[in-house]
Amino acid sequence: MSALAGQVALVTGAGRGIGRAVAVALAAEGAAVALAARSRADLAEAAAAVKDAGGRALAIPVDVTQDAEVEALVEQVLSELGRLDVLVTAAGVAAFGPVAGAKPADWDAMLAVNLRAVMVTCRAALGPMLRQRRGTIINVASIAAVRAIAGGAAYAATKAGVVAWSRVLAEEVRHEGVRVGVVLPGAVDTPLWDQISGAPDRARMLRPEDVARAVVLMASLPDGATMEEVRLLPADGIL
Ligand SMILES: NC(=O)c1ccc[n+]([C@@H]2O[C@H](COP(=O)([O-])OP(=O)(O)OC[C@H]3O[C@@H](n4cnc5c(N)ncnc54)[C@H](OP(=O)(O)O)[C@@H]3O)[C@@H](O)[C@H]2O)c1
């Protein structure tokens, strides 16, 4: 029997990269998967990949920085798929550069997507999960939250925020049947790196499917166990 048979998952950032691999992996374990991102073309491709894996896919175009869209997203998942068991927040953006050369406004988009939207999405998913007295939330942070990488101060701040948020939220809901975990990957070979100059050797990075395996493990543990923080690094340590 598949580990997530009968369950419903919602994955943000499911159009590309880590989110897409997570969506496919959750579907391969039997979950029906709602996929959220802004690009309709990416969503269509990702939904096709989920279906190829034998899963049920619901593609929902959403900008996670828009609170009302996030609320509507969760409502649509409930109305079309009936419940919400697993939330994975993989929508994220990255920009790097030294603090001295940055303008504060440069940080706003990263804070909005990587931190505030994670908070808003978790809050929206909690309603149905608390009503069901069952659910698993997995937030995708980054190893940058805990290892200093020059040029990554603003990105690291958003990811450290996600780690802190996840720890406290886990404490708030653990006695109500809801688990909260956070995964901190090192460098993963995804389209995120396409726009970043001076990127490390992509052949030495993790694959998105590696992160997806960790997420599936976190989501499919028995109800009595919770895996709250996973640090996943490429074997040779590239960050
Ligand atoms: N790649 C790495 O090395 C690495 C390492 C550690 C952690 N991470 C984290 O993992 C997460 C996924 O990264 P990735 O590498 O898979 O990036 P990616 O390939 O660029 O994919 C990012 C996804 O997020 C979506 N997204 C971005 N802004 C959004 C918004 N406002 N509303 C809805 N969706 C939005 C994108 O779709 P649209 O643009 O179409 O909306 C896309 O589907 C991020 O949080 C990233 O920080 C990545």
Side-chain angles (χ1 to χ4, degrees):
M1 175 113 166
S2 305
L4 299 173
Q7 298 197 33
V8 172
L10 166 59
V11 183
T12 70
R16 303 188 293 270
I18 293 170
R20 178 166 165 173
V22 165
V24 170
L26 292 170
E29 287 298 333
V33 183
L35 304 98
R38 290 168 302 179
S39 161
R40 288 170 187 269
D42 284 357
L43 280 177
E45 279 183 26
V50 165
K51 287 174 188 154
D52 287 347
R56 180 171 175 199
L58 173 65
I60 308 177
V62 168
D63 181 343
V64 292
T65 64
Q66 303 303 307
D67 298 356
E69 291 188 31
V70 172
E71 294 289 337
L73 166 69
V74 171
E75 286 309 315
Q76 190 176 345
V77 172
L78 294 176
S79 67
E80 297 201 30
L81 300 176
R83 51 186 295 119
L84 178 56
D85 301 286
V86 179
L87 167 68
V88 182
T89 62
V93 291
F96 298 102
V99 172
K103 292 191 289 296
D106 296 341
W107 304 327
D108 291 346
M110 220 159 31
L111 285 160
V113 181
N114 293 8
L115 180 55
R116 189 178 182 284
V118 171
M119 297 159 70
V120 170
T121 310
C122 287
R123 180 184 170 279
L126 272 182
M129 288 183 176
L130 290 172
R131 280 197 297 280
Q132 291 166 187
R133 295 196 66 79
R134 188 163 199 276
T136 305
I137 293 173
I138 300 162
N139 295 318
V140 180
S142 165
I143 202 68
V146 292
R147 303 259 186 106
I149 304 165
Y155 180 74
T158 68
K159 295 303 186 177
V162 170
V163 172
W165 164 269
S166 304
R167 283 187 183 145
V168 176
L169 188 57
E171 225 39 61
E172 288 188 8
V173 297
R174 69 170 71 255
H175 298 297
E176 306 193 57
V178 180
R179 307 184 287 204
V180 182
V182 61
V183 57
L184 289 70
V188 188
D189 184 13
T190 72
L192 177 134
W193 290 102
D194 292 351
Q195 313 303 327
I196 296 174
S197 60
D201 180 0
R202 292 175 66 158
R204 294 164 61 214
M205 295 182 179
L206 293 165
R207 309 263 81 78
E209 292 75 18
D210 301 329
V211 184
R213 282 183 73 168
V215 169
V216 166
L217 176 61
M218 294 166 86
S220 58
L221 284 172
D223 285 349
T226 179
M227 190 177 279
E228 298 196 340
E229 187 172 309
V230 173
R231 297 183 183 190
L232 184 71
L233 299 178
D236 68 1
I238 190 174
L239 302 179

